Amino acid sequence: MILLTTFLTVTLYSQNARIKIDIERKIGQVDNNLYGNFVEHLGRCVYDGIYEPGSPLSDEQGFRKDVLEAVKGLKVSHIRYPGGNFVSNYHWLDGVGPKDERIPRMELAWARLEPNTFGTNEFIQFCRKVGTEPYLSVNMGTGTIEEAQRWVEYCNVKEGSYYAELRKKHGFQNPYNIKYWSLGNEMDGFWQMGHLSAEDYSKKAREAAKLMKLTSPDIKLVAAGSSNYRPNADPDEWNTTILHELRDVVDYIALHIYVGNPDNNYYNFLSTPLVCEQRTKLVRGMINEEMSKANRGTREPIYIAWDEYNVWYRARTDESMKGTRALEEPYNLEDALVIAGFLNVFVRNADIVKMANMAQLVNVIAPIWAEKQGIYKQTIYYPLSLFANNVKGSALDVFVDCETYNTEEFLIGLGESKTRQTNVPYLDVSATCNNGEVVLCVVNRNKDKAITTDILSQTGEFTGTFKVFEVNGPDVKAMNNFDNETVKTVVKPDINARGSKITYSFPAHSFTMIKGQIK
Ligand code: AHR
């Protein structure tokens, strides 16, 4: 009996791993809004990040041209602005009108002086330059519902009313027609200026929504879901309450997640995107319950917006969260693999996750690092860019059979609760199909071993040439800097595929994208 068990174990593990794709087994449409990003008035994200008037690297309006180019490479669907914690004490009128009349304010969230020389109109100009949609967040902390309404009026009403005319007086004749608006930021967090209970937040958000939609009926609204996963918090209670109270007025529930590797345990860290997937499933259930109770008629269901996600644990001390160089987090290869893992989670849950925003775009926990002399792309830039440029169409329900591992109990990130993950597959996979073009995204979490894998098509045959892109580096701690981009996308030799099987060896600690036709 012992002999037989040993034999079976060896047989099982000596065979190739398997990934089965069936282009008919569709989960849902991948929303282009999975490739969103975030610009907050924090550290050097806005000032000396995207905006640096007077720099030889900036254009005539003060936007850094090198940053604009790098942002374009990320094919960003939309950008959330102006915060973040910043927004909960931000008054948008401070940031519009003649620059010499704008007043500086104490910025209390991140301990800076806010000059207000960059505001709504500069942000919209930036969005137009990079070809992305603006997504604004209103102040539900120290702001009023009237202030929120007036911002919508300033942005979206064509003419006649005071704030529409004010926009025109400021030099912007046409309304911006901003579609996405979020009702505050992280209102469940005790750190939030103007933090509210779930009940008080729901009441305020519902009334703000009413005024905002009366002003501009086609806007889409995002409710501030859970962000507080500290051990003593109750994020599920927050989510169920606000979903119940706001189910008739909002289109998305925003969730935030930051993960890290504070214990320097690679395998624990690589499993953290699965926490995002577990939370997605939990909130999906809550949404389903509310939708079945509510009579939403033909309206679409509430969707999940992963409104802020990233790796963030190094620049998280009291000191590194303040001032002009706040939250400058250098990223390595293992961080890039975690980002690929997050994106795989969003694609695998494409029927309910309809928006995601990497937090943030430049300098502040960001894929782009800008200094006076130029920029470089951090490791996390590359998986994000590969997904945004290639992963579209229908998400497929992929079958994966490979070795797995269990983690210890560990901290998801600083300030977060603990988790333990079991049966974590070494291969983390998503797949999409767009008019016969299949894109397979695979993270090999194994730090030391390549995994030889049979990729099997169950409907149709692999046809023609498959392109292969890989993000990898000499070791999992490899980083980029101004002199060297050690971790980046490398184009590997094509696979000439025919039939229903491709065998491919995914290198240790890598992210691989394989792209080609199934006919
Ligand atoms: O992205 C940095 C901060 O993280 C945001 O301001 C806040 O919303 C979150 O806690």
Side-chain angles (χ1 to χ4, degrees), residues 175-187:
Y176 295 136
N177 296 321
I178 294 173
K179 183 170 172 189
Y180 300 104
W181 294 80
S182 80
L183 298 164
N185 175 70
E186 295 191 349
M187 297 305 295

Side-chain angles (χ1 to χ4, degrees), residues 443-512:
V443 176
N444 178 4
R445 293 185 171 112
N446 198 305
K447 198 173 170 183
D448 304 305
K449 284 198 280 184
I451 300 181
T452 304
T453 307
D454 293 334
I455 306 163
L456 304 157
S457 169
Q458 303 200 282
T459 302
E461 304 213 319
F462 298 110
T463 308
T465 302
F466 277 67
K467 299 267 166 229
V468 183
F469 307 94
E470 185 181 303
V471 179
N472 204 343
D475 64 82
V476 296
K477 301 294 182 191
M479 298 175 121
N480 297 345
N481 56 41
F482 275 105
D483 301 323
N484 270 314
E485 285 200 358
T486 316
V487 177
K488 61 182 174 204
T489 302
V490 172
V491 181
K492 307 296 283 186
D494 291 345
I495 303 170
N496 284 316
R498 215 184 292 155
S500 57
K501 180 162 106 177
I502 293 174
T503 300
Y504 192 79
S505 179
F506 294 102
H509 54 64
S510 64
F511 168 59
T512 305

Side-chain angles (χ1 to χ4, degrees), residues 259-261 265-273 311 334-335 338 410:
V259 298
N261 189 7
N265 182 317
Y266 170 85
Y267 281 108
N268 290 350
F269 182 43
L270 265 281
S271 76
T272 52
V311 174
E334 64 186 15
D335 301 324
V338 166
F410 69 100

